[in-house]
Amino acid sequence: MTDPTPSPAPGWDPPAVDRPPGTNRPEPSPADEALLHALARQGLIAILRARRPAPLVPVVLTLLEAGVRCVEITLPTPGALEALRELTGRRAGELPPGTLLGAGTVTDPGQVSRAAAAGARFTVGPVYEPAVVDASRAAGLGSLPGCLTPTEAYAAWRRGASAVKLFPAEALGPRAVRALTAPLPDIPLVPTGGIGLDALPRYLAAGALACGVGSPLLGDALDGGPLTELRGRADRFARLATRARAEDAAG
């Protein structure tokens, strides 16, 4: 079974939440804390997205074998919910401690319910939809809504999102992370989109809690490419992200 409460990352605590009158941000839930600790420990979410049926379960297991611990399977990918059910059901014994599997491209509360029933531990959205944040909290899931502006990020955080997915990151760059964290230091940011191996440490050094990485990590694995090559890429990404997070924590 997956570890329901990953141990805190050294040198990192959940951000204190200042609640001036009218803010009314909900208290962090156990699901929020589990997701934040997992992201702080490694600094990486692997994102699986495909338009055609793909070997989702073998790809996820390969990522986990290589050291990745947070994996998002996007719901438009054929077989996404079935893969989550299999991985959190009969294959749960094969998941390393600390594994968190989530559902991506979640845009309405009905999808939240189906993701939770399939065993997802968190939801990720391409946009900020308040109803999805609310439904995720009600279902006991963490949530990462997609935001592009400071106004969206603050609104999502105040609503109760676990962290904010900064998307699309490739249109903004690491400087945007640093610029956002200056006035909004309590909001954990997870830039996503177009982040390769070389850029990953720059985003983390700029203040990102973690980065969401898709095709630069997955390569052709979802099209049947060699899993041995995927394992090598995943090992490099996981080691680099973990080292960058450790260096950041050491100050």
Side-chain angles (χ1 to χ4, degrees):
M1 295 294 290
T2 57
D3 182 4
T5 310
S7 58
W12 187 89
D13 292 309
V17 179
D18 185 21
R19 293 181 179 79
T23 299
N24 297 323
R25 171 173 161 78
E27 291 286 346
S29 69
D32 294 329
E33 293 176 351
L35 180 57
L36 290 171
H37 285 311
L39 294 179
R41 187 171 56 246
Q42 184 167 82
L44 179 67
I45 302 179
I47 304 169
L48 277 63
R49 180 187 305 278
R51 295 183 178 182
R52 297 184 296 274
L56 298 177
V57 171
V59 166
V60 171
L61 292 175
T62 299
L63 291 170
L64 297 176
E65 289 170 6
V68 176
R69 289 295 175 266
C70 288
V71 179
E72 167 196 343
I73 305 177
T74 58
L75 292 188
T77 299
L81 291 174
E82 291 80 1
L84 283 168
R85 281 193 210 95
E86 181 174 346
L87 287 162
T88 60
R90 68 184 185 88
R91 307 293 289 270
E94 301 175 46
L95 307 186
T99 296
L100 288 181
L101 303 180
T105 320
V106 177
T107 56
D108 67 65
Q111 292 176 327
V112 175
S113 297
R114 292 190 288 276
R121 298 281 302 280
F122 62 92
T123 63
V124 184
V127 298
Y128 166 48
E129 171 51 63
V132 170
V133 175
D134 293 347
S136 297
R137 289 186 64 85
L141 307 183
S143 63
L144 292 169
C147 300
L148 182 62
T149 68
T151 300
E152 288 180 321
Y154 180 70
W157 176 243
R158 186 174 64 176
R159 190 80 182 193
S162 307
V164 168
K165 169 185 169 181
L166 190 61
F167 176 79
E170 60 189 330
L172 301 170
R175 289 184 179 179
V177 174
R178 194 178 300 279
L180 275 170
T181 55
L184 300 171
D186 288 339
I187 302 179
L189 298 178
V190 183
T192 302
I195 299 176
L197 194 64
D198 292 340
L200 179 66
R202 294 201 297 272
Y203 279 96
L204 296 177
L209 175 66
C211 292
V213 181
S215 56
L217 166 58
L218 274 295
D220 61 355
L222 294 175
D223 293 320
L227 294 181
T228 53
E229 294 183 8
L230 172 63
R231 186 176 293 106
R233 288 191 300 273
D235 177 74
R236 290 191 292 275
F237 267 94
R239 288 178 182 273
L240 181 63
T242 301
R243 185 168 66 249
R245 287 296 301 141
E247 292 172 353
D248 181 60

